[in-house]
Amino acid sequence: MNKVKNTSISYRKIIAISVVFILILGISVIAGNVKFNNVKIKFSNNHEITVLTSKTKVSEILEENHIMLSSDETVIPSTDEEITDTNTIVITKEGNEPTKIAQISEEELDNDIEEIAENYSNITEEIITVEEEIPFETITKDVSNGKDTTNRVIQDGKNGIKEVTYKVKYKDDVEIERIELSSKVIEKPINKIVQIQTKVTSRSSSRRSGVTTASSGRYKVTAYCSCSRCCGKTNGLTASGRRATANHTVAAPSTFAFGTQLVINGKTYTVEDRGGAIQGNRIDIYMNSHSQALAWGVRYLDVEVVN
Ligand SMILES: [Zn+2]
């Protein structure tokens, strides 16, 4: 009985040792000083094989098993590295990666940082100075009595000019921001002035014959004397019948009544004479001598009507 019992124990021992031996064989075979490893090779089409090899360098294991990598395939660990404790070689095709490995993620992260840096480098700044128009304003003055009005432009408007300095930001040569730094007025705008006035009445339109009114304004002022060259006569009598007097008598168009006082260059004269050429905006000043009249010549002066 004891013998039988002992036998069954020894069998069990043999089986146990065998199992342990098979397990060891499955992982590695030790033959002399050479160590063999089971290495799993995973192909890019997800096919797997397990090879028994004494090599540890990836390139040598692949070569030993006649595995050639195509140009778009990569291998982890890389061909010049030793296999790791996982005893696995993974072949992947570009753009068709079945699994993401930490190493690749890091590379991608680097790429992302490079991309971000590149985006920043596409932003450029520039300081520019440009001329811009300053629009004029329109000012309206109402001088009418409130009804039957018409608008009259007293002064035309004109845009001004300013010089503006901006900081302009571009991204890929496209403007994305513009900040005004300074502004300088080169030319001020001129306001347009519009006067609202009562329409011209029919009474004043009756003056449309072209006869000027006896009003103050700019006149062509000449001079004359009593000589025949100036008057065609030498008696010195004026059209009003009065004797012409220097520094006093002027000839003026018939729109100026005789006796009208005019101020020219601060001196007051009286309208006492007429003249064939003295029409429109013309005044002729009587002087004592022909040389004085010649010396006066032709002048354009402001003439003010007194009263
Ligand atoms: Zn004369």
Side-chain angles (χ1 to χ4, degrees):
M1 285 296 283
N2 269 346
K3 252 193 173 178
V4 174
K5 209 179 181 181
N6 283 342
T7 308
S8 74
I9 288 167
S10 67
Y11 269 117
R12 257 184 248 162
K13 272 183 184 172
I14 289 163
I15 291 165
I17 289 163
S18 297
V19 167
V20 168
F21 183 72
I22 288 163
L23 281 174
I24 290 166
L25 189 73
I27 296 164
S28 61
V29 178
I30 296 153
N33 289 329
V34 182
K35 190 187 173 196
F36 283 86
N37 286 313
N38 273 320
V39 174
K40 191 193 273 179
I41 302 173
K42 207 172 171 182
F43 293 93
S44 60
N45 62 1
N46 291 333
H47 181 68
E48 287 177 21
I49 57 163
T50 304
V51 295
L52 187 66
T53 179
S54 61
K55 312 282 189 194
T56 53
K57 200 178 175 187
V58 172
S59 60
E60 287 171 359
I61 298 166
L62 294 175
E63 204 184 331
E64 193 178 54
N65 292 282
H66 311 291
I67 295 167
M68 306 264 291
L69 293 174
S70 61
S71 61
D72 58 346
E73 285 180 320
T74 52
V75 65
I76 295 162
S78 63
T79 50
D80 54 355
E81 284 184 315
E82 304 279 320
I83 52 163
T84 60
D85 293 338
T86 59
N87 281 345
T88 304
I89 295 171
V90 180
I91 300 167
T92 55
K93 232 181 185 130
E94 273 175 79
N96 183 28
E97 290 162 30
T99 48
K100 282 212 167 186
I101 313 255
Q103 243 179 323
I104 292 172
S105 296
E106 267 173 41
E107 270 173 35
E108 280 180 352
L109 192 66
D110 284 346
N111 287 343
D112 284 349
I113 289 165
E114 264 176 45
E115 223 173 282
I116 291 162
E118 204 183 322
N119 281 347
Y120 271 105
S121 69
N122 286 342
I123 291 174
T124 51
E125 281 184 343
E126 191 184 17
I127 306 284
I128 59 162
T129 300
V130 290
E131 275 193 359
E132 287 182 4
E133 285 200 326
I134 309 168
F136 65 80
E137 284 173 33
T138 300
I139 294 165
T140 307
K141 287 177 180 171
D142 193 346
V143 295
S144 71
N145 56 14
K147 55 179 180 180
D148 200 19
T149 62
T150 182
N151 287 352
R152 187 172 151 232
V153 177
I154 301 287
Q155 183 175 279
D156 280 326
K158 189 171 180 268
N159 286 342
I161 300 167
K162 63 177 174 177
E163 210 175 70
V164 190
T165 301
Y166 292 102
K167 187 172 85 173
V168 186
K169 199 180 268 186
Y170 303 91
K171 185 175 188 287
D172 297 326
D173 296 331
V174 175
E175 183 177 327
I176 55 166
E177 190 182 74
R178 184 175 278 224
I179 299 165
E180 186 178 320
L181 299 178
S182 66
S183 168
K184 191 172 81 182
V185 173
I186 304 292
E187 209 176 298
K188 280 185 180 175
I190 297 166
N191 291 332
K192 181 179 181 175
I193 301 169
V194 176
Q195 190 168 281
I196 300 170
Q197 58 191 31
T198 304
K199 269 184 186 164
V200 178
T201 61
S202 59
R203 185 159 45 91
S204 55
S205 66
S206 69
R207 289 176 186 157
R208 75 173 101 89
S209 57
V211 178
T212 6
T213 54
S215 58
S216 301
R218 201 86 170 158
Y219 282 78
K220 181 181 179 181
V221 182
T222 50
Y224 72 107
C225 75
S226 59
C227 81
S228 59
R229 276 168 293 174
C230 292
C231 304
K233 53 177 184 165
T234 55
N235 62 3
L237 282 179
T238 62
S240 67
R242 293 174 180 270
R243 185 159 294 276
T245 315
N247 301 316
H248 171 80
T249 303
V250 292
S254 58
T255 47
F256 289 84
F258 288 133
T260 304
Q261 290 195 305
L262 306 176
V263 178
I264 303 165
N265 272 359
K267 268 185 176 178
T268 304
Y269 299 87
T270 304
V271 175
E272 289 180 334
D273 210 355
R274 304 289 184 217
I278 309 306
Q279 301 295 331
N281 274 26
R282 281 204 62 180
I283 299 288
D284 220 3
I285 300 174
Y286 179 81
M287 291 188 179
N288 273 332
S289 70
H290 193 74
S291 60
Q292 276 181 305
L294 283 178
W296 174 272
V298 178
R299 301 181 189 185
Y300 292 86
L301 299 169
D302 282 326
V303 173
E304 193 194 326
V305 180
V306 180
N307 298 327

